[in-house]
């Protein structure tokens, strides 16, 4: 499986990562090697085999529609790098 | 060194019950051990020394007044750094969560605290549980107590090394593809991965949600059974936790294994590149289990060789989604930047280590349009074939016995430059997570170089009682789990 630098750049965009050129090159080589290895699965005939998304065969249970205690905002926001009142502060989203 | 640190958790509980030791003395003995040994081993990221002593004293006082909440009240435990608690820094071995202290308690820790156990320390781990050697921690590389030039295994390497080095009688870890069993094997301790859903994952920082499971590391199967009994059971906060009563795991340890059918899959013992000495020790352990009354039979798990490929496609896909929450907004590290987009990218690029980035990129790749069917969907289909292998095998046996790892602990740095070689050390453990079944690794001997080797026992879904019964019976006839590494301070 050939992976080129453009493909790694696209993946970085999708994953919100910013890698230096040498780090990108290393990742490119690693991804190529790993994707080559996983081609092993092509040896198997999986036609008609249902996919497993979950091992327990659970159905999504519904919880009771009750009001329950929640964390106060100050507690929930305590770990954020920057906050103002009950809000999270982030850098400017739109250019001026 | 105080002899108290050589006891198992259940033995310590008996000594406390008999008035031969106080919980304060026990916690103090382990703190002293940490003080002497952890400088070299690097198993722990944080130690609650004064709080732990206070909690132990409180347990002693409660016991004196006849109101201790459980037999284990006041006894200490180490906790992997991906289980959250207001009492602990849960940094997951990552810069991006450095200093993170959750405002809520993981369900398993809540249950242990209700039983009075003392959360003594947080244990080092591969960043976000991604790794098989503990070298991917952003803070320190933990060393193997049996040979400090070697890795302890991973990702629960800190938990395993802490138990092996007698810094804690037991610990909690998490296992997504072998992360409890593999370090337990390499450090010569017991490591149990329960059935998927047996223990609530509420408060476990998510890596691959369809595979992650919390479990104990300890020095005896009896301790693992005792701890599983405390943390198992349905939790309304985790909809994948199994409903129904929790069996009496410790009560199931009868010492009796006659009639138990132990399946031995030949393909696990003849793998190219596996360490022959380790394989021999595991074969001898299977022979010993036969001698005490179990019957062995051949079984086959033909899709085992596809396990690592399937596992790395599915776990990276799930991880790429789960780790999107680390964006510098809600918690953890934030890199300064002028725009929101740039802040996301700089934060994630500086906050995550190389292996985490590699897995996020791989997961993004296999989930992207055009590749989804060829990789992700195909892996999900092969997962079905792997599950069916186990279902078929358990029609003719009660327990499957295999090596836990293809070889003993390897030298530090040996596999860090080759991610695929590192991944392949999970070949005997990852299929168990894909099938969702329980498995335990127990010490079964030492190589000539003095490195521990683990025997893995795998059971059908919700079959922990039989697994633990066989493991405990084996330990009643052997003393591998009693061996203690020579460490500084002796």
């Amino acid at each position: 499986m050939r992976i080129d630098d453009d493909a790694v750049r696209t993946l970085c965009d999708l994953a919100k990562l910013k890698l230096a050129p040498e780090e990108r090159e290393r990742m490119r080589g690693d991804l190529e090697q790993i994707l080559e290895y996983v081609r092993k699965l092509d040896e198997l005939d999986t036609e008609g085999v249902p996919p497993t998304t979950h091992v327990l065969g659970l159905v999504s249970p519904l919880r009771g529609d009750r009001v329950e205690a929640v964390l106060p905002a100050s507690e929930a926001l305590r770990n954020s790098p920057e906050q103002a009142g009950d809000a999270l502060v982030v850098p400017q989203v739109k250019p001026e | 060194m105080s002899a108290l640190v050589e006891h198992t958790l259940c033995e310590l509980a008996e000594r406390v019950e008999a008035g031969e030791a106080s919980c304060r003395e026990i916690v103090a003995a382990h703190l002293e051990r940490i003080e002497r040994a952890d400088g070299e081993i690097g198993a722990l990221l944080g130690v609650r020394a004064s709080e732990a002593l206070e909690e132990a004293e409180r347990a002693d006082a409660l016991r004196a007044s006849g109101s201790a909440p459980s037999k284990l009240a006041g006894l200490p435990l180490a906790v992997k750094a991906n289980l959250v608690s207001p009492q602990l820094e849960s940094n997951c071995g990552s810069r991006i969560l450095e200093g993170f202290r959750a405002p809520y308690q993981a369900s398993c820790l809540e249950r242990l605290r209700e039983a009075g156990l003392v959360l003594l320390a947080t244990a080092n781990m591969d960043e976000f549980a991604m790794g098989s050697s503990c070298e991917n921690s952003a803070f320190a590389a933990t060393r193997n107590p049996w040979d400090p030039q070697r890795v302890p295994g991973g990702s629960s390497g800190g938990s395993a090394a802490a138990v092996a080095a007698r810094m804690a009688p037991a610990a909690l870890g998490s296992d997504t593809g072998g992360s409890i069993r593999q370090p337990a094997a390499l450090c010569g301790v017991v490591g149990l991965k329960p059935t998927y859903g047996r223990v609530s994952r509420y408060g476990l920082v998510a890596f691959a949600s369809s595979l992650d499971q919390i479990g104990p590391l300890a020095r005896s199967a009896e301790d693992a059974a005792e701890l599983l009994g405390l943390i198992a059971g349905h939790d309304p906060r985790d909809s994948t936790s199994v409903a129904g009563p929790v069996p009496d795991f410790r009560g199931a340890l009868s010492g009796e294994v006659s009639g138990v059918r132990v399946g031995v899959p030949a393909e696990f013992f003849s793998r190219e590149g596996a360490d022959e000495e380790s394989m021999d020790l595991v074969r001898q352990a299977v022979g010993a289990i036969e001698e005490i009354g179990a019957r062995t039979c051949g079984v086959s798990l033909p899709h085992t060789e596809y396990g690592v490929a399937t596992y790395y496609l599915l776990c990276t896909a799930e991880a790429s989604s789960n780790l999107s929450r680390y964006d510098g907004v809600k918690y953890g590290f934030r890199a300064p930047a002028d725009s929101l987009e740039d802040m996301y990218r700089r934060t994630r690029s500086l906050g995550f280590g190389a292996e985490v980035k590699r897995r996020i990129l791989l997961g993004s790749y296999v989930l992207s349009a055009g590749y989804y069917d060829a990789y992700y969907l195909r892996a999900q289909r092969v997962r079905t074939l792997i599950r069916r292998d186990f279902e078929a095998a358990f029609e003719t046996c009660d327990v499957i016995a295999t090596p836990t790892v293809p070889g003993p602990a390897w030298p530090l740095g040996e596999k860090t430059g080759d991610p695929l070689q590192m991944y392949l050390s999970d070949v005997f453990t990852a299929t168990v997570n894909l099938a969702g079944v329980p498995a335990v690794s127990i010490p079964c001997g030492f190589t000539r170089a003095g490195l521990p080797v683990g025997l893995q026992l795998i059971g059908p879904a919700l079959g922990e009682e039989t697994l633990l019964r066989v493991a405990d019976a084996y330990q009643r006839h052997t003393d591998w789990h009693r061996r203690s590494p020579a460490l500084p301070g002796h």
Side-chain angles (χ1 to χ4, degrees):
Chain A
M1 192 69 214
R2 274 286 294 151
I3 301 273
D4 57 22
D5 189 54
D6 280 348
V8 183
R9 282 169 184 272
T10 306
L11 291 175
C12 286
D13 286 343
L14 288 170
K16 298 268 185 266
L17 289 169
K18 185 184 225 164
L19 305 186
E22 56 278 20
E23 199 179 4
R24 242 183 9 245
E25 176 51 28
R26 206 164 50 241
M27 289 291 174
R28 195 195 61 74
D30 289 345
L31 292 185
E32 221 167 61
Q33 191 200 11
I34 296 164
L35 289 168
E36 183 62 38
Y37 174 74
V38 300
R39 277 183 60 186
K40 200 174 166 54
L41 299 190
D42 294 346
E43 293 166 12
L44 294 169
D45 180 8
T46 55
E47 192 65 35
V49 179
T52 292
T53 52
H54 206 282
V55 287
L56 293 172
L58 290 173
V59 288
S60 288
L62 296 176
R63 63 168 174 79
D65 188 13
R66 288 184 303 271
V67 176
E68 287 179 17
V70 293
L71 285 176
S74 59
E75 273 288 289
L77 298 186
R78 200 182 60 204
N79 279 295
S80 68
E82 200 181 344
Q83 55 214 258
D86 283 356
L88 298 164
V89 176
V90 296
Q92 190 161 347
V93 178
K94 284 187 162 181
E96 299 201 31
Chain B
M1 180 174 81
S2 165
L4 285 175
V5 300
E6 289 297 334
H7 291 295
T8 67
L9 207 53
C10 289
E11 288 165 357
L12 288 171
E14 281 165 26
R15 299 212 46 179
V16 170
E17 183 68 32
E20 294 163 8
S22 72
C23 293
R24 191 187 198 288
E25 285 165 354
I26 290 166
V27 167
H30 287 94
L31 286 170
E32 189 195 320
R33 184 83 185 127
I34 291 168
E35 186 72 30
R36 288 194 186 187
D38 203 37
E40 183 173 6
I41 303 302
L44 304 175
L45 293 171
V47 182
R48 299 175 67 233
S50 55
E51 299 95 326
L53 285 169
E54 277 169 33
E55 288 175 24
E57 265 173 37
R58 225 172 298 144
D60 285 329
L62 283 175
R63 191 166 275 110
S65 66
S67 49
S70 81
K71 288 187 304 246
L72 301 186
L75 298 181
L77 199 72
V79 178
K80 189 175 181 179
N82 61 352
L83 290 162
V84 308
S85 163
Q87 280 78 35
L88 306 169
E89 177 180 327
S90 316
N91 59 39
C92 293
S94 182
R95 291 273 173 231
I96 213 161
L97 278 178
E98 193 166 3
F100 176 73
R101 214 171 262 266
Y104 64 98
Q105 195 82 255
S107 291
C108 60
L109 299 181
E110 191 169 271
R111 290 178 186 198
L112 291 175
R113 280 174 61 84
E114 277 165 13
L117 278 104
V118 175
L119 309 184
L120 180 68
T122 45
N124 197 19
M125 58 185 282
D126 285 298
E127 185 174 8
F128 286 105
M130 297 180 189
S132 308
S133 68
C134 224
E135 292 162 299
N136 291 337
S137 167
F139 302 107
T142 301
R143 289 160 181 268
N144 192 311
W146 294 94
D147 178 353
Q149 298 311 312
R150 291 175 186 264
V151 301
S155 67
S156 308
S159 297
V163 175
R166 277 58 181 153
M167 293 188 254
L172 287 188
S174 67
D175 191 315
T176 306
S179 279
I180 288 174
R181 291 160 287 153
Q182 188 258 25
L186 300 192
C187 288
V189 300
V190 175
L192 172 67
K193 183 204 89 75
T195 307
Y196 182 82
R198 181 63 98 181
V199 179
S200 167
R201 290 178 294 112
Y202 181 78
L204 168 66
V205 176
F207 159 18
S209 309
S210 82
L211 302 160
D212 297 340
Q213 185 61 198
I214 299 164
L217 294 101
R219 288 206 291 275
S220 69
E222 186 185 29
D223 281 4
E226 183 72 27
L227 287 169
L228 180 63
L230 290 176
I231 61 177
H234 181 67
D235 176 9
R237 294 174 296 187
D238 174 5
S239 63
T240 63
S241 64
V242 176
V246 176
D248 176 4
F249 298 110
R250 196 168 165 200
L253 309 180
S254 59
E256 186 55 64
V257 294
S258 54
V260 174
R261 298 167 302 170
V262 179
V264 184
E267 58 265 41
F268 279 68
F269 292 84
S270 56
R271 205 188 140 71
E272 205 186 306
D275 173 54
E276 224 8 79
E277 200 186 355
S278 303
M279 298 304 108
D280 271 341
L281 290 167
V282 177
R283 279 189 208 103
Q284 286 167 28
V286 174
I289 292 172
E290 201 170 14
E291 271 169 38
I292 58 176
R295 284 194 290 135
T296 58
C297 59
V299 293
S300 180
L301 300 164
H303 294 97
T304 300
E305 61 171 304
Y306 302 98
V308 169
T310 306
Y311 171 75
Y312 277 93
L313 288 171
L314 297 178
C315 81
T316 55
E318 294 187 30
S320 70
S321 168
N322 271 328
L323 271 64
S324 63
R325 71 192 61 174
Y326 304 104
D327 57 5
V329 174
K330 301 175 289 293
Y331 29 63
F333 167 75
R334 172 187 288 188
D338 294 332
S339 74
L340 184 65
E341 174 76 14
D342 201 36
M343 191 275 279
Y344 288 154
R345 286 176 173 251
R346 285 173 49 81
T347 296
R348 290 167 62 79
S349 301
L350 294 169
F352 289 140
E355 179 62 20
V356 174
K357 290 181 209 175
R358 193 178 292 121
R359 294 202 194 187
I360 290 174
L361 291 173
L362 184 61
S364 304
Y365 184 85
V366 306
L367 288 176
S368 45
Y371 299 112
Y372 182 90
D373 284 5
Y375 292 106
Y376 185 67
L377 189 61
R378 177 172 288 267
Q380 287 187 315
R381 292 187 200 276
V382 179
R383 186 174 186 183
T384 303
L385 298 175
I386 289 168
R387 284 176 62 191
R388 287 177 182 169
D389 279 358
F390 280 101
E391 282 164 14
F394 285 123
E395 278 172 20
T396 59
C397 69
D398 305 303
V399 171
I400 296 172
T402 77
T404 310
V405 196
W410 57 88
L412 290 159
E414 187 179 277
K415 297 184 184 183
T416 43
D418 189 344
L420 191 56
Q421 281 311 309
M422 190 74 92
Y423 296 173
L424 286 169
S425 72
D426 296 338
V427 61
F428 297 150
T429 47
T431 52
V432 168
N433 301 73
L434 291 166
V437 296
V440 65
S441 179
I442 56 173
C444 72
F446 290 82
T447 64
R448 282 181 293 273
L451 298 169
V453 171
L455 163 73
Q456 176 174 238
L457 299 168
I458 309 167
L462 303 177
E464 288 91 347
E465 288 159 282
T466 311
L467 275 190
L468 290 165
R469 178 154 59 92
V470 175
D472 170 68
Y474 175 77
Q475 293 190 329
R476 293 186 194 200
H477 289 84
T478 55
D479 70 349
W480 307 117
H481 62 296
R482 292 271 167 205
R483 307 279 176 98
S484 194
L487 281 169
H490 270 259

